C-alpha cells in the first residue's frame, strides 16, 4: 500500500490507524504549500485534490474516514471500534465532530480565504474560535466515557481523530489547553503510545531537518 500526504491532520489520522494495525505502507509526500495536491498526477488519484489518498494495489480510496473504515474492514487486527454499541456511537460522534466541525475551519484553503477576504490577522482568530468551540463540545461529550483514552482504556477511532487535532492546537495554534483538562490529559496519554508517536509530522520522511 502507498499513502500520499503531507503534514495534514487528516493524513496523520491514517498513519496512526496503519501503525495500530501493524500494516506496512509506502509514504509518498504531497507538498500542500507548493500546491502539489492540484497537480495532474495527484488529481488522477483524487479529483478534488485533497490528502490523504490510499493506494492499495489497483484500488484507490480518499478521505481519512473512508480510508480508516476500509482498513478496519480489510484488516480486523486491533479493531478501531469497540464492540459496545454506545461506545461505538460515541467514537463516531467524536470523530465526526473533529472532521466536520473543527478541522475544516483550520484547513489551509479556508484560512487563506478568510485572510484574503476579511484581513491578514483574522485567520488565527477564525481558527482558534472554531477549535475552542469544538473542544468545549468534546470535553462534554467524553467526560462520561473517557478512561485512559477517549472512550475507555483502549485507543479507538475517536483517539485517531483527536490526537492530530490536539497536536495542531498545541504545537501549531498555541492554544491555551488549561481550559480543556480532559483533552490535555488525552494528549499526554497519546505521547506514550508508539503507534501515535511514530505518526507525528516531525518523524515523517519529508519533515524538515532540525
Amino acid at each position: 500500500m502507498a499513502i500520499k500526504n503531507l503534514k495534514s491532520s487528516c493524513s496523520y489520522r491514517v498513519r496512526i490507524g496503519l501503525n495500530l494495525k501493524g500494516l506496512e505502507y509506502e509514504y509518498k509526500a504531497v507538498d500542500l504549500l507548493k500546491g502539489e495536491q492540484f497537480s495532474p498526477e495527484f488529481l488522477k488519484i483524487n479529483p478534488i485534490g485533497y490528502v490523504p489518498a490510499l493506494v492499495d494495489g489497483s484500488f484507490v480510496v480518499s478521505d481519512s474516514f473512508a480510508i480508516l473504515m476500509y482498513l478496519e474492514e480489510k484488516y480486523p487486527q486491533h479493531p478501531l471500534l469497540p464492540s459496545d454499541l454506545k461506545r461505538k456511537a460515541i467514537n463516531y460522534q467524536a470523530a465526526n465532530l473533529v472532521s466536520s466541525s473543527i478541522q475544516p475551519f483550520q484547513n489551509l484553503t479556508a484560512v487563506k480565504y478568510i485572510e484574503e477576504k476579511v484581513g491578514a490577522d483574522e485567520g488565527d482568530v477564525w481558527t482558534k474560535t472554531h477549535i475552542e468551540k469544538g473542544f468545549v463540545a468534546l470535553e462534554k461529550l467524553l467526560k462520561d466515557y473517557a478512561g485512559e483514552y477517549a472512550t475507555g482504556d483502549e485507543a479507538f477511532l475517536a483517539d485517531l481523530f483527536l490526537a492530530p487535532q490536539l497536536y495542531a492546537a498545541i504545537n501549531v495554534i498555541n492554544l491555551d489547553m488549561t481550559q480543556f483538562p480532559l483533552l490535555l490529559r488525552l494528549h499526554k496519554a497519546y505521547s506514550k503510545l508508539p503507534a501515535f508517536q511514530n505518526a507525528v509530522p516531525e518523524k515523517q520522511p519529508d519533515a524538515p531537518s532540525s
Side-chain angles (χ1 to χ4, degrees), residues 89-162:
I90 295 301
N91 270 271
Y92 282 131
Q93 186 176 348
N96 274 298
L97 200 160
V98 172
S99 64
S100 65
S101 300
I102 303 178
Q103 189 276 330
F105 296 101
Q106 70 184 37
N107 181 281
L108 182 64
T109 301
V111 174
K112 183 178 179 181
Y113 183 87
I114 292 296
E115 292 176 343
E116 290 177 350
K117 298 296 182 180
V118 182
D121 297 329
E122 293 303 311
D124 286 345
V125 176
W126 164 271
T127 300
K128 285 185 177 181
T129 297
H130 288 287
I131 292 177
E132 288 177 342
K133 180 181 178 181
F135 280 8
V136 168
L138 284 165
E139 284 272 327
K140 293 177 180 178
L141 173 66
L142 299 175
K143 66 181 178 65
D144 294 329
Y145 297 94
E148 188 171 359
Y149 306 111
T151 59
D153 292 330
E154 292 183 63
F156 288 118
L157 186 72
D159 301 289
L160 273 62
F161 281 73
L162 284 168

Side-chain angles (χ1 to χ4, degrees), residues 31-94:
D31 194 326
L32 304 182
L33 296 178
K34 292 181 179 179
E36 291 180 356
Q37 69 274 31
F38 301 121
S39 68
E41 179 186 7
F42 189 77
L43 289 175
K44 290 179 182 178
I45 295 171
N46 187 8
I48 200 170
Y50 291 162
V51 295
L54 181 76
V55 180
D56 187 11
S58 61
F59 178 67
V60 179
V61 59
S62 300
D63 182 88
S64 61
F65 208 112
I67 292 171
L68 289 168
M69 291 299 93
Y70 171 76
L71 294 174
E72 178 73 346
E73 292 287 338
K74 186 171 182 179
Y75 304 100
Q77 67 268 29
H78 194 111
L80 300 180
L81 290 164
S83 57
D84 179 80
L85 180 61
K86 293 180 180 178
R87 289 185 183 273
K88 184 182 294 185
I90 295 301
N91 270 271
Y92 282 131
Q93 186 176 348

